[in-house]
Structure formats: structure tokens, C-alpha cells
Amino acid sequence: MATHPATDLWEVQGKRIDLPVTVEDARFAGALWRAPRSAVDSQLEPYGLRSAGFRGTGLAMLVCVVYPEEFVLGGYDEVGIGVLASGPGGPGLFVLELPVTGAFTREAGREIWGLPKWMMASTADIGGSRSTMVMSDGDVPVMDATIRTGALSLPVPLPSRGSTWARAADGPHEGRLLRGKTSMRFRGLRVGRGRGTTITWGEHRMADRARALGMDGRPFATFSAERLTASFGESRVVDG
């Protein structure tokens, strides 16, 4: 059980975590799909949010990240499915699924930020023009992904800022809607148009979500980064 003794200070399993937490040298890859807005709304309805898409079209995203051992939350792999959602205060990314390979980050992510982290097993080779991630839930195959991007990377770092939504399932914020802010910087960023990208989904709840959002077809954009620097601060409760 995590404790929150002060603003921007948490303790998880007896370890002090000062916010914002910053990670450097993570490796990152992902893909984007145009999803039917009705499909996005169906996924968001249990959480009290709606799609932030346009003219009947929403946005779905797959992200695969490998975090270094030096990170305060430990070294681990992570796979996320998110959709662009609208709620009080504007749009942001709502993460529907976020399996990880580390028990400590699972607890910290659920308790501090209300993220839907659960334990998976994976093998990953992320970064460059070809990234792969194979993941399972115990003995159940969930995803086998090969993400291809362009061969050339941008010569300068690319900064990015964004907002996130989460509905905490347990922990100190159980049942509450949380809004967070993220700051990222990508080095060695490559982009692509989805050509050569293949993703095979298994028989699993996460895979069912992906298929419902059209993520079993060709994405309209792919991306990868040799180095991701990111900062995650305190999430704000926006409803009871």
C-alpha cells in the first residue's frame, strides 16, 4: 500500500518517490490508428469520458517502452493501449490497458497515477527502423508486434507535452478521475506510414479492446525513438 505523506511525495513499499519522476534513455515505439468514434466512446463509457475525435473518427494508440534499470520505478517493459478522450478541462490520452514486467512499477503506477497496470511477460527489441514486442499474460499470448518506421531519424531532439486521463480502480484515488501532465523529449525519432507493420492479437481482454478499436489493421502512422526522456508529475483529482 502506497502512502502520500506530502504533496509531490509518495512512499511505495518503503521507497520514497519524489514527483515529478524523470526517466532518461528509455526506448520507445508505437503506432496510431483512426478508430470509429462510436468504438472509442464504447470503450470510454464505463469511465465517464467520451472520444475527442472529429467527424465520427477517433484516435487509438499503441505504445511499447523499455525503461532502463536506473529509473526510480525500476527497469521494465511496458505496453499501452490508449485513446484520445475528452473530459473536464479538455482532451488527453486515456490509457485503457498498461501491462508491465515490473511488480514495483505496477503498484506505483496504480496507486500514484491511477493507471491500469498489470503484470505481463514480454520480449522486446525497441528502437530503430524495426521494433518488436511479444507479450503474454501468463501462458496466454496477447500480442506479437513488429513496428516498422523510416530508416532516417530526425537530426534534432523533438519535445512534446501532453495531458492524460485515468480512472483509478484501486488505491488512495479509487473511483476518481485523475488528470495528469507529461513532458517528453525524443532523440533519434523515426516515423513511418505503417507499411510493413504487423500486429497479431491473441484471445485476451486487451486483444479484444484492440480489435474493437480497429487496431488489427494497418496503422496510419508509426514511430520509434532511440532515446526517450520523460517527466511525470502529480495527477490532479477532477471529480469525486
Side-chain angles (χ1 to χ4, degrees):
M1 178 70 180
T3 59
H4 191 17
T7 301
D8 293 330
L9 172 62
W10 287 76
E11 290 184 358
V12 179
Q13 298 180 13
K15 182 176 181 178
R16 175 181 174 129
I17 300 178
D18 294 292
L19 300 181
V21 298
T22 299
V23 60
E24 297 183 358
D25 293 325
R27 288 175 286 129
F28 176 84
L32 294 169
W33 287 262
R34 296 181 184 91
R37 188 165 185 169
S38 58
V40 176
D41 283 337
S42 179
Q43 294 292 326
L44 289 172
E45 183 179 6
Y47 308 103
L49 297 172
R50 63 186 186 280
S51 170
F54 304 95
R55 298 179 182 178
T57 301
L59 184 68
M61 177 185 295
L62 172 72
V63 294
C64 303
V65 189
V66 176
Y67 292 91
E69 292 293 337
E70 296 78 15
F71 185 30
V72 67
L73 302 183
Y76 60 95
D77 299 349
E78 179 176 86
V79 179
I81 289 180
V83 293
L84 189 62
S86 181
L93 182 69
F94 187 90
V95 181
L96 294 164
E97 299 279 352
L98 196 63
V100 295
T101 58
F104 181 81
T105 190
R106 176 196 177 278
E107 181 174 345
R110 295 182 73 91
E111 303 255 339
I112 298 174
W113 295 284
L115 294 169
K117 292 190 174 185
W118 50 272
M119 292 294 293
M120 69 167 180
S122 72
T123 58
D125 184 7
I126 301 298
S129 60
R130 181 181 183 273
S131 297
T132 61
M133 174 76 80
V134 180
M135 60 163 292
S136 63
D137 182 357
D139 295 330
V140 179
V142 179
M143 184 192 77
D144 186 339
T146 298
I147 298 171
R148 292 188 180 274
T149 60
L152 299 179
S153 62
L154 296 181
V156 295
L158 181 69
S160 175
R161 294 181 181 273
S163 299
T164 60
W165 292 108
R167 177 75 73 176
D170 46 34
H173 300 310
E174 183 176 357
R176 294 179 172 180
L177 183 65
L178 303 175
R179 185 165 174 82
K181 299 288 186 181
T182 61
S183 176
M184 300 184 180
R185 183 177 292 271
F186 304 92
R187 291 183 182 272
L189 181 68
R190 292 176 169 87
V191 296
R193 297 182 179 180
R195 293 172 183 164
T197 293
T198 59
I199 302 177
T200 302
W201 297 98
E203 299 302 321
H204 187 272
R205 178 198 69 244
M206 180 172 172
D208 291 342
R209 284 190 189 270
R211 281 188 286 263
L213 292 166
M215 298 171 70
D216 51 348
R218 175 179 163 179
F220 75 85
T222 55
F223 41 85
S224 68
E226 297 286 353
R227 180 181 178 187
L228 167 66
T229 299
S231 177
F232 309 96
E234 187 91 52
S235 290
R236 177 172 58 91
V237 176
V238 295
D239 77 0

